[in-house]
Amino acid sequence: MLRHIFIGKTYPGKTEAELSAVVDPLGNLPSIVPWIRAFSIEKTLAWSESQAVVLIAEFDSREDWERYMHDPNHLALGEIIKDTIDLSCMSVVQTIA
């Protein structure tokens, strides 16, 4: 099993409503990409100067992860989040689950 971890730092000064406007559509990923085996998404706590959205998706195989990474519905979410998440600062890693 493969674990995909996305950490997207927000632009400064984003509100709770703006963060929810990112988390809510990303939370629909398992219905958009049904080969996701397990999924979670969270907002970081506002205890420091910056906030982020952390998404973890697990896949059965590298092939399923590659399908996800190239899926047009997944890629379209970038348009929804780009005004809140600084995509130039995002971190994406894969691990064995």
Side-chain angles (χ1 to χ4, degrees):
M1 185 163 307
L2 178 86
R3 182 175 292 133
H4 166 76
I5 303 166
F6 165 87
I7 302 172
K9 183 179 173 190
T10 62
Y11 289 107
K14 293 301 176 180
T15 66
E16 189 67 27
E18 289 170 307
L19 287 174
S20 293
V22 166
V23 170
D24 293 346
L26 289 176
N28 293 323
L29 269 169
S31 63
I32 295 169
V33 183
W35 53 92
I36 293 175
R37 170 71 73 188
F39 181 85
S40 67
I41 185 165
E42 300 290 338
K43 298 175 272 189
T44 59
L45 299 172
W47 294 354
S48 62
E49 291 181 23
S50 64
Q51 283 190 274
V53 171
V54 180
L55 178 150
I56 301 172
E58 293 184 358
F59 301 91
D60 285 330
S61 66
R62 181 177 179 166
E63 292 77 21
D64 286 346
W65 169 76
E66 287 175 350
R67 286 174 54 200
Y68 164 77
M69 292 303 290
H70 295 98
D71 185 87
N73 295 314
H74 164 241
L75 296 174
L77 291 171
E79 282 299 309
I80 294 171
I81 69 171
K82 70 180 174 84
D83 292 332
T84 301
I85 302 295
D86 184 351
L87 297 176
S88 72
C89 294
M90 71 180 183
S91 295
V92 178
V93 297
Q94 284 64 239
T95 66
I96 299 297

